[in-house]
Amino acid sequence: MASAAAGLEFPLFAYFTYPPASSDTPPVISNYPSSWTSNYLQPRHHSVDPVTLRGLRGWDTFDWGLDRDHRYLPASQQEVLENAVQFGIRCGLTMSMHDHRGAALLR
């Protein structure tokens, strides 16, 4: 997956399956810094991440980033984006897919 992402000029990737219960830890395949992945998963940021929440709404491909107009997001969602910047993650492209049961497969 890393070489496919790099071939598209994306140095980092994450393949993420949203868990059935927001309290569960989601499975993640990623080459993001492990410090970010641990930071993201421990406080269950996936349950308030604006990128994840948008991906759950349907089939969509969208770009995101802290430089986007996010001032209308709740503080908890803004915090996820601001926290990511501390790990060098400023923007990205997300492709949302859903399996036959409707479960979301993101990024």
Side-chain angles (χ1 to χ4, degrees):
M1 289 183 95
S3 62
L8 297 170
E9 298 185 18
F10 292 107
L12 301 173
F13 79 92
Y15 178 81
F16 172 93
T17 302
Y18 200 83
S22 64
S23 61
D24 293 344
T25 301
V28 177
I29 300 170
S30 172
N31 68 346
Y32 276 51
S34 59
S35 55
W36 163 248
T37 305
S38 296
N39 178 279
Y40 183 84
L41 294 175
Q42 289 305 319
R44 305 203 186 314
H45 281 311
H46 66 278
S47 64
V48 295
D49 181 348
V51 177
T52 300
L53 295 177
R54 178 172 171 182
L56 289 173
R57 290 196 304 249
W59 290 74
D60 198 6
T61 298
F62 57 94
D63 60 343
W64 53 267
L66 189 59
D67 63 339
R68 304 280 186 249
D69 188 9
H70 68 277
R71 63 180 170 224
Y72 300 108
L73 294 175
S76 60
Q77 292 181 14
Q78 288 181 34
E79 183 181 323
V80 172
L81 295 176
E82 291 165 0
N83 194 19
V85 170
Q86 296 176 22
F87 294 86
I89 303 165
R90 297 188 167 283
C91 60
L93 177 72
T94 294
M95 294 180 285
S96 174
M97 300 170 280
H98 296 260
D99 68 12
H100 68 283
R101 296 172 308 216
L105 312 168
L106 303 172
R107 300 196 185 160

